[in-house]
Amino acid sequence: MLSWPFIQQMLETKNPSADLPRLERDGAAMLLGLQGQTVSLPTNLYDSVDLGSEGASIPLQVPSAGQVEGMQAGGLNTNWDTMQRLSKSYFDTFNLIHPIMDRQVFQAEVLPAVANNGFDESSSSTLACLVFALGDVAMSSIQGAPISTYKGRPSGVRGGTLERPPGLLFFNEARKRMGFNLTECSLENVQIFALAAIYYGTCSHHLEFWRLTTLASLACHALLTSKPEELRTHRGDLVRRAFWHCSIMETCLNMELNIPRTGLDKLEALVGLPDFSGSFSEEDYLGNQASHFQEHFASQIVLRRLSVEFHTTLTNAFGPTPLPVESPISPAAIMMKQMAEQLDQWRGLLPVYLRWEEESYGTFSSPSEELYEDQTMYPPPVPDLHTNFMFTADLDTPPVNYPYAVDIHAASLRTRYYYVKYLVHRPFVFKALHHPNEVTQDDAEGVAECLKAMLKWPITMSPTCFHKRLIPCLFFWTQNLLGILLILHLTQQVPILVRIRTSLMGNRFDQDANETAMLCIDWIRDLKDTDATALWCWEILKGVYPLGGDT
């Protein structure tokens, strides 16, 4: 959207320092390359050991550099209770969001092997280090100290410091071993790259996230091409889950930054859909009863397919220009209305415990009772605060912490739905900005639908926005929220958009739009110190919105 002539002209007058022509020529390289201006994750931990879990108090023994000789795992030594706690933290959060590991196998085989034999160069040890690293991130996201505060409001980025994110000690041990597993053609190889990509994503290191996401997809492609029989083994369902995880991740990168896909989509018919028929884990059963993570994952797969179909249809229909003036609008309006109907049908066919009303952004899908158990790292919810709503735009009230990443699941699914609906209708906004004299009633209604789809995305609301390290693909959302803020600004400046906002949007829109702007600005402000992409977005915003004394 930043390549639209109208947007570029507006930003050139409000923020001359923004290098917008470069963005148009090479947007992916610019946005991903921004991270290259920041420091890479440190590798030397002997000077200062900081796990980042201030509230977790993880006991670890790390010798000085001179004591490393003869010790396995480069001097990393931890006890059984810590490994159990970190692995439970990982499987109760990240593995429910990205279900690519087998909890039962990890607990029954990998953990005892590490406890008895120490860490070696095997893929099992590498995976254990990655699980522990992400487990530390998950604990820090709930219990860790915020890295900053804004007017008394704690940051949604918790644990560690700007330079040393939580879990870094374990992650560095995994990085040392990844070279030994680099060319394996195995499920473990796919899992290693996928988990490492997730970790980099939690640190807002987007370039590394992209590289390792691509490596995970290529490793999955190689596994299925060279060993298709893996799909017929007892691990077949886990292979399917890893495949769809990789497919969802690379689709995000392709749609948002036009980064080429790896060809995984050509194997969809071979792979089929997962059914979670692997080994039984009572803890996963309880987690699924509370979060319905299996249905969430299946719904994300279907929504991804719709996204790809819509993206292909819109690209073929309009090419690089979102909506040429010489193109008759009626067929385009009909086509986009059909896509919107398919989206509504997808939402209507969701299981009742995932479903929500279109304009009820924050309501519960199902009763929230029995989400908590005795053995949980989450404090009990604040009573009588969010009784009817899972998500709220009130960021000054202490957030409720739901177990099993329940809010992350719901927020991600709903936000992806609104995001796709926003993309489907965004060409109407392009036409209104660039060819206002040719806007028809169909066009105006399309603009109105786009504006509705931009409002109060659940990931920006409390409690989810206070657990940003758990939210998949942070940069993906950040630059879209910038686009929403620019469009909302234009609805108060551009005559055609002002008329549409006044005549078609209803009485609630002004309040919802103001809350949306507040939520989006807070999101970008919160991330700008840890995320170079967010800082770039913030510099653009400073020329458009009155941000007061914020820097």
Side-chain angles (χ1 to χ4, degrees):
M1 196 188 82
L2 293 177
S3 64
W4 293 1
F6 191 98
I7 298 292
Q8 292 214 352
Q9 184 179 6
M10 177 191 74
L11 294 181
E12 284 172 358
T13 59
K14 292 180 176 291
N15 194 340
S17 62
D19 192 358
L20 296 173
R22 178 187 171 193
L23 178 64
E24 182 177 7
R25 292 193 304 271
D26 202 6
M30 181 176 179
L31 287 174
L32 289 170
L34 285 170
Q35 193 63 50
Q37 301 172 14
T38 62
V39 179
S40 300
L41 291 179
T43 57
N44 181 12
L45 293 178
Y46 295 115
D47 295 335
S48 173
V49 178
D50 182 2
L51 289 180
S53 297
E54 292 85 352
S57 299
I58 298 172
L60 284 169
Q61 301 171 11
V62 183
S64 66
Q67 295 175 294
V68 173
E69 184 177 357
M71 296 192 67
Q72 293 173 328
L76 178 63
N77 186 22
T78 186
N79 58 47
W80 176 255
D81 289 341
T82 298
M83 291 191 292
Q84 287 274 33
R85 187 163 64 253
L86 290 174
S87 59
K88 177 174 173 55
S89 173
Y90 164 79
F91 281 101
D92 283 351
T93 52
F94 280 107
N95 205 59
L96 303 185
I97 302 168
H98 315 283
I100 61 175
M101 293 284 290
D102 188 312
R103 187 199 294 251
Q104 183 64 26
V105 170
F106 188 85
Q107 291 180 333
E109 299 177 13
V110 176
L111 274 187
V114 170
N116 293 329
N117 306 319
F119 295 88
D120 54 26
E121 285 72 38
S122 66
S123 57
S124 294
S125 285
T126 308
L127 282 171
C129 288
L130 290 168
V131 165
F132 297 155
L134 287 169
D136 193 19
V137 172
M139 293 180 72
S140 296
S141 295
I142 304 300
Q143 302 172 352
I147 63 167
S148 63
T149 58
Y150 172 75
K151 295 184 177 179
R153 182 188 303 158
S155 170
V157 182
R158 291 178 172 269
T161 65
L162 294 178
E163 297 79 19
R164 297 178 182 274
L168 183 59
L169 180 64
F170 290 110
F171 185 66
N172 279 346
E173 291 301 328
R175 286 202 285 180
K176 293 177 184 177
R177 287 159 178 73
M178 286 174 66
F180 291 104
N181 319 126
L182 192 61
T183 56
E184 285 184 9
C185 199
S186 65
L187 172 61
E188 289 78 10
N189 189 236
V190 181
Q191 292 168 326
I192 286 170
F193 289 136
L195 293 183
I198 293 170
Y199 183 85
Y200 272 121
T202 69
C203 309
S204 295
H205 281 250
H206 309 309
L207 184 63
E208 293 89 340
F209 166 78
W210 160 51
R211 290 288 311 280
L212 281 158
T213 296
T214 301
L215 286 174
S217 292
L218 291 172
C220 190
H221 195 290
L223 172 63
L224 291 168
T225 303
S226 63
K227 299 179 181 178
E229 65 275 7
E230 278 282 299
L231 292 169
R232 298 186 292 274
T233 68
H234 67 284
R235 303 202 306 173
D237 190 66
L238 203 57
V239 174
R240 291 183 183 90
R241 285 188 257 160
F243 169 87
W244 285 109
H245 165 80
C246 292
S247 186
I248 290 170
M249 289 293 131
E250 74 166 34
T251 297
C252 290
L253 289 166
N254 173 256
M255 289 182 60
E256 196 59 30
L257 297 176
N258 203 30
I259 292 174
R261 286 181 282 180
T262 62
L264 270 188
D265 54 308
K266 297 178 176 61
L267 301 176
E268 289 182 15
L270 168 70
V271 174
L273 297 174
D275 57 10
F276 290 86
S277 59
S279 59
F280 175 78
S281 165
E282 183 176 356
E283 290 171 294
D284 277 348
Y285 172 79
L286 294 174
N288 191 52
Q289 289 294 102
S291 69
H292 306 290
F293 75 89
Q294 296 177 6
E295 290 88 347
H296 271 286
F297 190 60
S299 300
Q300 293 271 20
I301 291 172
V302 178
L303 185 56
R304 176 222 160 252
R305 284 181 167 177
L306 285 177
S307 303
V308 171
E309 290 174 11
F310 296 166
H311 183 68
T312 301
T313 300
L314 291 171
T315 302
N316 291 340
F318 303 133
T321 303
L323 198 60
V325 63
E326 60 268 24
S327 162
I329 185 57
S330 295
I334 293 172
M335 176 185 67
M336 286 182 268
K337 186 173 292 187
Q338 290 173 342
M339 288 190 279
E341 288 173 353
Q342 290 183 60
L343 264 181
D344 288 337
Q345 184 181 38
W346 169 87
R347 182 174 52 83
L349 292 175
L350 289 171
V352 64
Y353 36 78
L354 269 61
R355 206 177 305 156
W356 76 97
E357 293 299 321
E358 171 78 18
E359 295 184 9
S360 299
Y361 318 100
T363 55
F364 280 104
S365 298
S366 58
S368 58
E369 294 86 356
E370 300 180 2
L371 286 179
Y372 296 84
E373 54 175 322
D374 293 337
Q375 302 296 322
T376 176
M377 66 179 177
Y378 299 86
V382 179
D384 301 325
L385 280 182
H386 304 297
T387 51
N388 298 319
F389 294 90
M390 174 175 278
F391 307 105
T392 174
D394 179 7
L395 303 186
D396 293 317
T397 300
V400 175
N401 289 321
Y402 297 100
Y404 303 113
V406 167
D407 63 301
I408 306 293
H409 288 293
S412 296
L413 192 67
R414 296 182 191 189
T415 303
R416 285 188 184 277
Y417 165 82
Y418 291 119
Y419 162 74
V420 176
K421 194 164 188 177
Y422 160 69
L423 288 189
V424 166
H425 292 96
R426 197 169 62 179
F428 291 112
V429 178
F430 177 90
K431 183 173 184 181
L433 290 175
H434 296 86
H435 314 291
N437 295 330
E438 303 193 18
V439 171
T440 66
Q441 183 63 28
D442 282 339
D443 299 337
E445 291 174 358
V447 171
E449 289 300 317
C450 183
L451 297 180
K452 291 177 187 176
M454 298 187 323
L455 297 175
K456 295 167 74 170
W457 285 3
I459 59 161
T460 67
M461 301 170 76
S462 176
T464 306
C465 68
F466 288 105
H467 306 140
K468 286 189 174 71
R469 292 196 192 272
L470 297 179
I471 300 174
C473 303
L474 276 178
F475 83 94
F476 177 86
W477 301 119
T478 299
Q479 59 190 50
N480 276 288
L481 297 179
L482 171 63
I484 286 174
L485 285 167
L486 294 178
I487 292 177
L488 285 177
H489 171 75
L490 292 174
T491 62
Q492 296 178 306
Q493 305 293 323
V494 179
I496 182 67
L497 295 184
V498 172
R499 290 199 297 273
I500 292 172
R501 175 170 176 159
T502 303
S503 61
L504 297 180
M505 297 311 300
N507 297 328
R508 282 184 49 191
F509 182 79
D510 282 350
Q511 179 182 346
D512 287 340
N514 290 337
E515 289 183 347
T516 298
M518 180 273 293
L519 291 168
C520 294
I521 289 172
D522 187 83
W523 173 285
I524 296 174
R525 177 197 294 114
D526 192 27
L527 286 172
K528 65 182 175 62
D529 293 332
T530 56
D531 183 346
T533 302
L535 179 59
W536 183 80
C537 293
W538 183 256
E539 292 301 319
I540 289 179
L541 276 185
K542 285 164 64 176
V544 179
Y545 278 81
L547 299 177
D550 293 352
T551 56

